[in-house]
Amino acid sequence: MSASLAFARRLASGTPIPDPVAVVVAHADDETLWAGTALLRLSGLILIHLTDSAPADMADAARLGFATRSDYARARSDELDAALAVLDARPRRIAYGLPDQEAVAHLPDLVARLAHDLTDVAAVLTHPYEGGHPDHDTAALAVRKAAARIGDRTGRAPALAEFACYHRHAGTRRFGHFWPDAGCPEQVRPLEAAERARVAQAIAAHRSQAAVIDGWCPQAERWRPAPAYDFTAPPPPGASLYDGFGWSITAARWRGLAEAVAA
């Protein structure tokens, strides 16, 4: 059994994991939505956010009534504090502070920073490459490249697992499920009623994202060992969800920026 599959199975078991583990996410709320109950079971957790969750174009900030991008970023951080308190999670936190939607433009630096910050962890949990959000895809690529660099340097790369996130399915956003990969079977853990209620309360703490989340709450946790993606090709669903959002970053542009690192 691979170390990554073994780690995914431990996550799905619902038991405490004392090993040093990093959760690498793109935005404040990703950890709550996709790894909620796991956060309190990971006693040696390092939680790394690649962005400050605030796009540079101010569209989201203005729609929500924030006067500046920094005000919006601060609100997202405060919401994260509240969500982690609900989950009784006390990770060591590291924030890279990049603008939302722009992480791919900083890939070389991200890989270098992650290769440093992940050196001593046994395993890393992050996003899949599924075209749901450009920063999610950047996290997937940067973590893999950083892990490979750690393996080359130390002879011991961390195990890599993914949480189910969201992707384009039948023309809409599908939450909380993987795009299937036959070589990387998912490990599913149904949540008990008390766990669902606690995660729902934590998700509600991300008040600014209520319209995006739209009342969704996980009924189960889903984990899998990280597949060997071809990041120079379109994501496995074939189309990227964010190409329909009118953003300046498109899937084709993302692959162009990622190609030098992904090759």
Side-chain angles (χ1 to χ4, degrees):
M1 183 191 306
S2 73
S4 295
L5 176 57
F7 177 52
R9 287 182 173 175
R10 289 179 73 190
L11 287 166
S13 73
T15 58
I17 299 177
D19 316 51
V21 170
V23 173
V24 179
V25 294
H27 316 108
D29 81 350
D30 288 330
E31 70 300 309
T32 310
L33 288 162
W34 322 119
T37 69
L39 299 180
L40 61 89
R41 294 187 281 113
L42 297 168
S43 57
L45 175 60
I46 301 172
L47 178 58
I48 299 177
H49 287 86
L50 302 188
T51 80
D52 64 5
S53 309
D57 66 8
M58 279 289 293
D60 290 344
R63 173 176 53 83
L64 292 164
F66 293 99
T68 67
R69 198 184 80 82
S70 61
D71 287 344
Y72 182 37
R74 189 176 306 109
R76 295 293 305 270
S77 179
D78 291 345
E79 291 169 355
L80 173 61
D81 291 342
L84 292 176
V86 169
L87 295 168
D88 196 25
R90 300 177 178 86
R92 178 164 73 88
R93 288 162 59 181
I94 302 174
Y96 291 174
L98 299 174
D100 189 313
Q101 303 172 24
E102 297 182 20
V104 67
H106 303 268
L107 259 172
D109 288 341
L110 281 177
V111 172
R113 290 190 70 175
L114 287 169
H116 174 269
D117 291 337
L118 302 177
T119 295
D120 296 322
V121 303
V124 186
L125 181 63
T126 194
H127 297 271
Y129 175 52
E130 294 184 339
H133 191 290
D135 295 335
H136 297 178
D137 293 347
T138 299
L141 172 54
V143 165
R144 279 156 183 76
K145 291 300 179 180
R149 189 173 295 184
I150 292 168
D152 290 343
R153 187 176 71 239
T154 68
R156 182 198 56 79
L160 300 182
E162 298 177 338
F163 45 73
C165 193
Y166 62 75
H167 56 265
R168 187 177 187 272
H169 178 78
T172 189
R173 187 192 323 242
R174 189 186 192 202
F175 275 80
H177 290 269
F178 288 114
W179 188 265
D181 187 306
C184 296
E186 66 177 42
Q187 311 298 309
V188 183
R189 176 177 174 265
L191 299 183
E192 298 176 358
E195 293 175 315
R196 293 196 302 271
R198 189 172 194 177
V199 172
Q201 184 182 355
I203 291 173
H206 297 281
R207 295 185 300 277
S208 67
Q209 304 308 295
V212 177
I213 298 167
D214 195 24
W216 182 83
C217 185
Q219 302 298 302
E221 296 174 333
R222 299 175 186 272
W223 322 99
R224 72 179 180 191
Y229 296 114
D230 179 359
F231 289 97
T232 65
S240 292
L241 181 71
Y242 61 89
D243 273 343
F245 295 166
W247 292 348
S248 61
I249 182 69
T250 64
R253 182 166 174 255
W254 185 92
R255 291 195 298 275
L257 290 168
E259 187 171 4
V261 170

